[in-house]
Amino acid sequence: MEALFTYGFLQRALLAGVFVAIACAILGVFLLLRRDAMIGHGLAHVTFGGVALGLFLNILPLGTALVVAILASLAIMKLKEKAGLHGDTAIGIFSSAGMALGIALATLAGRFNVDLLSYLFGDILAIEPLEVWLSIGLAGAVVIVILLNYRKLMYLTFDRDAAKASGVKTERFDILLTVLTAITVVLGMKVVGILLVTALLVIPAAAGLQVAARFKQALFLSCAVSFISVLVGLSAAFVFDLPASATIVLLAFVIFGVFFLGRRKKFF
Amino acid sequence: MTEEKELVRVEEITFAYDSVPVLEEVSFSISQGDFLAILGPNGSGKTTLIKVILGLLKPSQGRILIMGQPIEAFREWSKIGYVPQKATHFDPFFPASVKEAVAMAFLSPKKRSAQRRKDEERAMEAALESVGMEAYRNWPIGSLSGGQQQRVFIARAIINSPELLFLDEPTTGVDAATQEHFYEMLHLLNKGQRITIILVTHDVGIVNKHVNKVACLNQKLVYHGSHDDFCQSEAFKALARGGHLVSHKH
């Protein structure tokens, strides 16, 4: 644990990890209750295409991925609304197209290079100072948006029609949540990688929802599970020489299991 | 007798899902103090009509005026309460207490002044008391029965002291005894608090006992007028013959 406060790269990993995880935890509660849990998975696959495009064109991969992910998230939303497709169908279409784009571009470039693999599996120990600031900014933006619109977002999540009839601009909030999720996925891929970023959106929120009786409790517990998973997971990965992203996700999964069993056995 | 203020005007409304017509040139108005039942067989467009009036669906033709303003320009949403048809079909594990479920309708930012908090708390208690659910304020919303949940959703709908309350089949799946209490509560809201109520229902028993106006719909408006005249009308006889109306003792 002491190493976390000694080495600069570990401090950056911890800071970025905790802030991205908190953003994921808060958004995750809304996504799960809106039955949009797989949007993170879909956007992560699209992000793979975006990173490959950035690497192929030799322009900033993170920035390219961000633009591609935001556009794809809005397209998924519109496809659901206008084409009458179910959410999972729209996500399935874009996630496979994004993955296919990534594979095609990587093949055209001649090989899957090391950079692309680092985005697939995450490289939390190689986080740059700028990425730490971006993570803090993202978490701050998510918290501010939620605090300013807490009741509207809760109402919209609970009863969309009633919220809309009360004057809540439901489409505007849909866009806001979708874009924030896209940004979170792109930053989250540096922490745990494209393959595991969904875990940060889904598992802590699912754990919190297992035991929470109030909405605020669900948000708090989801953040707590995320925080503990990143802090302990990163330390364990360092001590036992394990991959950081996988350790963080497995720890979150174990906490979910404890909450799930605790609820079944009525400990909570 | 003074003429009551017109709160809703429905003018020549036509609506279709894709190319399937659901409403055809429906026109009528709702005045302050009315307790209006919207009746009709399944698929007659009752829920669609409510959604069009509330601006949730855009009609292909016609216009809606709420309190004298076109629905597109209407902004005083706190004057309207709405309990949708599937209000009780929410995720039973949704983490919200009765108080949280009711307070959602305040829509104010999280940060509120101490005075505002007090006012909100008072309004919440009054709304829960109106529907007889004050003892359940800290219960998880998912742990209540269907009838209790409907009461909570009505508390949510009246918390901002609305002038208009829309209820879409609020007693579906609720037993007859609970329904009786429920309609008595609506009667009190209509007569005591002067809330204008628009109720979509299949239950002719409620029509006979509490409402003063009826709109009967079957894509087109086949009847609109007083309850007394409705009982003598061809529309009533046709609905009764088709078995589209149910009657509970009240």
Side-chain angles (χ1 to χ4, degrees), chain B:
Chain B
M1 205 172 125
T2 54
E3 186 77 4
E4 292 288 4
K5 187 171 83 175
E6 184 181 271
L7 294 184
V8 178
R9 173 168 283 273
V10 177
E11 283 183 2
E12 301 283 317
I13 289 295
T14 296
F15 182 88
Y17 285 109
D18 291 326
S19 55
V20 182
V22 180
L23 297 171
E24 286 181 55
E25 297 180 347
V26 175
S27 300
F28 67 97
S29 63
I30 302 165
S31 299
Q32 193 166 42
D34 277 355
F35 191 153
L36 171 80
I38 300 179
L39 291 170
N42 288 333
S44 58
K46 304 185 293 293
T47 295
T48 303
L49 176 61
I50 294 269
K51 288 187 171 182
V52 169
I53 293 174
L54 290 168
L56 301 175
L57 294 173
K58 205 171 163 22
S60 45
Q61 192 185 304
R63 67 171 189 160
I64 301 289
L65 297 175
I66 306 264
M67 296 169 199
Q69 296 176 60
I71 187 74
E72 298 79 14
F74 185 74
R75 294 288 175 271
E76 297 171 280
W77 294 104
S78 63
K79 291 185 176 175
I80 293 179
Y82 172 48
V83 182
Q85 189 178 25
K86 290 180 180 166
T88 54
H89 290 202
F90 64 91
D91 177 356
F93 297 111
F94 194 98
S97 65
V98 165
K99 270 175 81 169
E100 279 183 308
V102 173
M104 286 174 194
F106 281 129
L107 300 183
S108 55
K110 182 86 177 77
K111 209 79 182 146
R112 307 183 306 281
S113 68
Q115 186 55 45
R116 180 152 185 166
R117 277 172 196 269
K118 273 186 196 164
D119 292 345
E120 287 186 356
E121 194 67 29
R122 215 173 291 134
M124 187 149 53
E125 288 298 325
L128 285 172
E129 217 176 294
S130 299
V131 298
M133 289 299 291
E134 67 273 25
Y136 297 86
R137 61 173 75 79
N138 293 317
W139 284 45
I141 183 76
S143 69
L144 303 179
S145 70
Q148 288 172 323
Q149 286 171 357
Q150 283 292 13
R151 283 171 176 262
V152 172
F153 297 140
I154 289 179
R156 184 182 70 192
I158 63 171
I159 198 164
N160 291 311
S161 306
E163 292 185 31
L164 273 164
L165 177 60
F166 291 83
L167 302 157
D168 193 353
E169 308 234 23
T171 54
T172 306
V174 175
D175 65 77
T178 310
Q179 283 187 31
E180 195 171 325
H181 292 300
F182 184 80
Y183 288 128
E184 275 166 15
M185 178 197 76
L186 291 186
H187 185 80
L188 283 174
L189 291 174
N190 178 242
K191 296 295 173 203
Q193 298 188 27
R194 294 277 296 153
I195 296 175
T196 303
I197 296 178
I198 297 93
L199 173 78
V200 169
T201 182
H202 280 98
D203 187 348
V204 76
I206 167 68
V207 173
N208 284 333
K209 190 157 182 188
H210 295 298
V211 309
N212 67 336
K213 294 267 180 69
V214 174
C216 193
L217 206 61
N218 199 358
Q219 282 189 20
K220 294 183 175 181
L221 189 69
V222 291
Y223 176 86
H224 177 241
S226 75
H227 157 259
D228 295 340
D229 292 344
F230 173 68
C231 292
Q232 311 300 322
S233 70
E234 283 304 312
F236 175 76
K237 287 171 195 162
L239 274 171
R241 268 200 306 275
H244 298 304
L245 298 178
V246 292
S247 179
H248 295 293
K249 285 182 181 172
H250 290 292

Side-chain angles (χ1 to χ4, degrees), chain A residues 21-250:
Chain A
I22 283 174
C24 284
I26 295 171
L27 289 171
V29 170
F30 289 97
L31 294 178
L32 262 62
L33 289 170
R34 287 158 58 99
R35 295 168 199 258
D36 263 342
M38 292 316 288
I39 184 103
H41 186 75
L43 288 177
H45 282 71
V46 170
T47 301
F48 175 73
V51 168
L53 183 65
L55 291 171
F56 182 76
L57 298 174
N58 208 18
I59 51 175
L60 199 66
L62 207 64
T64 314
L66 190 62
V67 172
V68 171
I70 289 173
L71 291 176
S73 67
L74 295 174
I76 288 170
M77 215 181 76
K78 282 288 159 205
L79 207 58
K80 277 196 310 192
E81 277 171 26
K82 304 288 178 198
L85 292 177
H86 290 296
D88 52 355
T89 310
I91 290 168
I93 290 168
F94 275 87
S95 69
S96 39
M99 207 67 190
L101 176 72
I103 293 167
L105 290 175
T107 308
L108 276 177
R111 61 196 164 93
F112 276 94
N113 60 32
V114 177
D115 281 347
L116 196 54
L117 288 176
S118 80
Y119 284 105
L120 269 180
F121 298 107
D123 199 358
I124 193 170
L125 300 179
I127 293 270
E128 302 286 337
L130 174 67
E131 288 161 344
V132 174
W133 287 112
L134 285 175
S135 306
I136 294 171
L138 169 72
V142 170
V143 169
I144 288 169
V145 165
I146 301 300
L147 281 180
L148 288 178
N149 302 289
Y150 179 72
R151 281 179 173 164
K152 287 177 188 165
L153 285 167
M154 184 164 61
Y155 202 0
L156 164 70
T157 306
F158 185 73
D159 189 337
R160 188 182 177 80
D161 272 356
K164 198 171 178 182
S166 298
V168 177
K169 305 282 181 208
T170 50
E171 288 84 6
R172 206 176 287 175
F173 283 110
D174 285 344
I175 292 172
L176 190 64
L177 279 180
T178 307
V179 169
L180 279 175
T181 305
I183 298 170
T184 306
V185 164
V186 173
L187 285 175
M189 82 183 165
K190 280 294 282 187
V191 177
V192 290
I194 287 166
L195 295 177
L196 291 176
V197 68
T198 320
L200 287 185
L201 279 166
V202 174
I203 300 177
L209 288 169
Q210 284 297 308
V211 293
R214 309 272 182 279
F215 203 79
K216 281 176 205 157
Q217 270 178 15
L219 292 171
F220 175 78
L221 284 168
S222 179
C223 288
V225 172
S226 282
F227 180 77
I228 292 167
S229 301
V230 172
L231 183 68
V232 180
L234 202 56
S235 307
F238 187 75
V239 172
F240 300 109
D241 197 20
L242 294 166
S245 57
T247 313
I248 291 169
V249 172
L250 285 173

